[in-house]
Amino acid sequence: MSLIAVLLACATCYGDPQSLQTKGMNSAIWFMLGITAVVLSGLGVVFIGFIRRARRASLNQSE
């Protein structure tokens, strides 16, 4: 009988939405997605800055 308790899935794997493990896992997923969005947004801002700087440099060279 004790072997059956070991084989049962935890609340996270089983999908109990009210479990603290499931809530913690969902929070961790949202946190990681947020970090990824911030990093990718930062890279986008840097590249837009590079493009603007290159356009300004090419306009100054052609004058």
Side-chain angles (χ1 to χ4, degrees):
M1 279 308 240
S2 65
L3 185 60
I4 293 174
V6 174
L7 296 176
L8 293 176
C10 64
T12 304
C13 299
Y14 188 68
D16 181 16
Q18 301 305 320
S19 168
L20 289 178
Q21 287 179 335
T22 304
K23 290 178 182 179
M25 181 182 63
N26 289 338
S27 297
I29 290 169
W30 283 111
F31 178 77
M32 289 188 291
L33 284 172
I35 294 295
T36 303
V38 167
V39 169
L40 289 177
S41 298
L43 285 173
V45 168
V46 167
F47 282 119
I48 289 172
F50 287 158
I51 291 169
R52 288 181 179 174
R53 193 178 290 182
R55 285 183 184 162
R56 252 188 273 136
S58 68
L59 287 176
N60 288 340
Q61 254 183 354
S62 65
E63 288 180 354

